[in-house]
Amino acid sequence: MREFTARFATAEEIEHWDKHVTANPNGGNLLQSEAFADVKQHFGWKPLHLVYESPDYSSYNLVLEKSFPLLGKLWYLIKGPDVAGVEDIPGIIRANQEFVKRSKLGVFAIKIEPDIVLTDGARAAIEATGVVKTPNLQPNDSTALLDISPEENQLLRNLHSRGRNAVRRAIREGVEVQDMEPTEENFRSMYALMTNTVEAKSQVRVREFGYYRQFWTNFIERGQGRLLFVFENGVPSVGAFVINYGRKGTYKDGGSLQKRSQYGDSHLVQWTAINQVKELGCTEYDFCGTPPADRLKDTSHPFHGLGLFKTSFSKTVTDFVGCYDQVINPLKYKLWTAAGERIARQIYTRRTGQQFY
């Protein structure tokens, strides 16, 4: 069993943050990136840069921090820790406990969210550390993943037949996918397509436009994001914002008009994006959010419609272990779960109009 120590990153490590994160055992995650850290510091969180070290490897992870009167600080180790396997989670838990107490950081709880595939064994290993299961926060804690390492013709053959046929028909019928410039007009068109689709298919609340504008701009400026449109009758009819970060491409945001005449247009957007990020060195593509595998056919699930589309590329759904709380101060955590979190979320949303997490 590996033992870890925890520390804050040096100024030099922070300056080259993405290089370190993408060298993590699982290649890092876009939600641990420099671009995302900058987004969150504009929307209520303080980004911290945490390094775990063992004799075998180091892991670089973004921590988001909020402070609360009387309670102290909550840490959210978003999509982390990035570890080689579930067997390293106990060592990380001990390192967190020791680091917070030794450095007197005033943290009462740490949310962890490792990208570890859910199995009975993984769940048991994590819960044996004493952490507390909490509701999942990220849409891709269940998701469709696609291996995009094969050459293009083989990759197309590997798709689910529904997706493959839609891509081929769209190409045959002359559907065109365009790379778009990061202008205010294009961002607003993308946001309109996205809110239209989310409201129609998932009933999930969409963050305000300013959040997405900051998010999209940050990734595009770093060469890690791209905006793709299909047009119909002169107006955008399908849009997608796709990220390349390390070895993973991610379909982060998307939307479309509900009434369209071009068959397979949304599939061709994805196929185009997949081949673009593949050229940049990505070997895996995350469609970013489906129902859990055991609820894929449940029409009442808010992601049901999106799941049908995404699994027309990848035939299976991958469930991750999701979110857990590591309790550092039991009394303060009890107050947090009894009323503190609910009150904090209500006050923050009322004051800012933004989502808490």
Side-chain angles (χ1 to χ4, degrees):
M1 186 178 295
R2 288 190 181 94
E3 293 296 326
F4 290 84
T5 57
R7 63 173 174 84
F8 288 125
T10 66
E12 186 277 335
E13 288 170 325
I14 294 172
E15 183 180 355
H16 303 283
W17 185 246
D18 287 338
K19 180 188 74 173
H20 292 296
V21 171
T22 55
N24 280 345
N26 290 307
N29 189 287
L30 71 91
L31 298 184
Q32 299 168 337
S33 67
E34 175 188 299
F36 188 69
D38 182 70
V39 173
K40 298 308 281 188
Q41 74 176 351
H42 289 92
F43 291 89
W45 293 89
K46 178 182 179 181
L48 303 172
H49 302 80
L50 192 63
V51 184
Y52 296 107
E53 294 176 310
S54 77
D56 301 303
Y57 68 88
S58 298
S59 178
Y60 291 75
N61 296 265
L62 178 65
V63 176
L64 303 177
E65 179 184 275
K66 277 184 188 279
S67 298
F68 305 94
L70 304 178
L71 296 179
K73 298 170 182 175
L74 172 71
W75 277 7
Y76 178 17
L77 194 58
I78 189 164
K79 280 295 176 182
D82 189 324
V83 291
V86 70
E87 64 275 5
D88 287 342
I89 293 297
I92 295 290
I93 295 296
R94 288 191 291 273
N96 285 341
Q97 186 86 17
E98 191 277 334
F99 180 52
V100 167
K101 291 195 172 183
R102 171 173 49 85
S103 302
K104 299 178 180 179
L105 298 174
V107 176
F108 68 88
I110 302 174
K111 285 190 172 295
I112 66 169
E113 197 175 53
D115 263 352
I116 294 171
V117 175
L118 177 62
T119 64
D120 289 342
R123 181 191 292 114
I126 292 174
E127 294 182 357
T129 67
V131 295
V132 179
K133 185 72 181 84
T134 58
N136 293 348
L137 295 174
Q138 298 304 322
N140 62 340
D141 284 324
S142 291
T143 192
L145 300 174
L146 181 66
D147 176 8
I148 61 172
S149 60
E151 56 86 22
E152 184 175 338
N153 289 335
Q154 183 59 53
L155 178 56
L156 183 59
R157 287 194 293 270
N158 289 352
L159 300 187
H160 190 292
S161 59
R162 285 187 292 131
R164 182 172 63 250
N165 293 338
V167 168
R168 285 174 170 166
R169 179 169 166 181
I171 293 172
R172 191 166 60 246
E173 295 184 0
V175 175
E176 294 185 6
V177 179
Q178 298 184 30
D179 289 280
M180 305 304 297
E181 294 296 320
T183 65
E184 178 80 5
E185 179 183 3
N186 289 336
F187 283 167
R188 289 197 175 276
S189 294
M190 177 65 199
Y191 187 73
L193 290 170
M194 186 170 65
T195 52
N196 177 64
T197 297
V198 169
E199 289 169 1
K201 293 188 177 180
S202 70
Q203 297 85 53
V204 175
R205 182 183 174 193
V206 177
R207 295 179 188 269
E208 71 280 6
F209 172 71
Y211 182 93
Y212 287 98
R213 176 170 53 194
Q214 182 83 54
F215 187 101
W216 297 332
T217 299
N218 279 11
F219 279 94
I220 289 173
E221 286 180 345
R222 290 165 174 81
Q224 298 169 339
R226 63 205 57 250
L227 181 63
L228 304 174
F229 280 173
V230 167
F231 286 81
E232 190 168 303
N233 299 321
V235 299
S237 56
V238 180
F241 186 79
V242 176
I243 291 171
N244 55 283
Y245 189 73
R247 58 178 182 255
K248 180 181 283 187
T250 302
Y251 171 33
K252 176 60 178 63
D253 301 306
S256 60
L257 299 179
Q258 297 308 296
K259 295 183 178 180
R260 312 189 307 280
S261 62
Q262 298 181 112
Y263 185 86
D265 48 5
S266 54
H267 285 83
L268 189 58
V269 167
Q270 291 304 307
W271 179 243
T272 302
I274 285 168
N275 282 285
Q276 287 184 352
V277 299
K278 180 178 168 63
E279 288 181 4
L280 295 170
C282 294
T283 57
E284 184 178 58
Y285 192 80
D286 185 351
F287 285 90
C288 203
T290 65
D294 62 358
R295 295 190 62 190
L296 191 57
K297 296 181 181 180
D298 181 355
T299 57
S300 68
H301 194 281
F303 287 169
H304 173 71
L306 298 175
L308 289 177
F309 170 70
K310 293 170 181 180
T311 54
S312 68
F313 291 88
S314 179
K315 301 170 187 178
T316 59
V317 164
T318 299
D319 296 321
F320 293 99
V321 295
C323 202
Y324 288 85
D325 284 352
Q326 178 182 355
V327 180
I328 305 296
N329 185 309
L331 176 58
K332 290 182 177 180
Y333 183 74
K334 186 175 181 180
L335 295 173
W336 172 251
T337 55
E341 182 176 24
R342 175 174 51 82
I343 293 170
R345 294 179 76 157
Q346 289 174 347
I347 290 173
Y348 182 78
T349 300
R350 228 182 269 129
R351 179 169 58 84
T352 66
Q354 300 167 10
Q355 292 184 33
F356 184 79
Y357 287 107

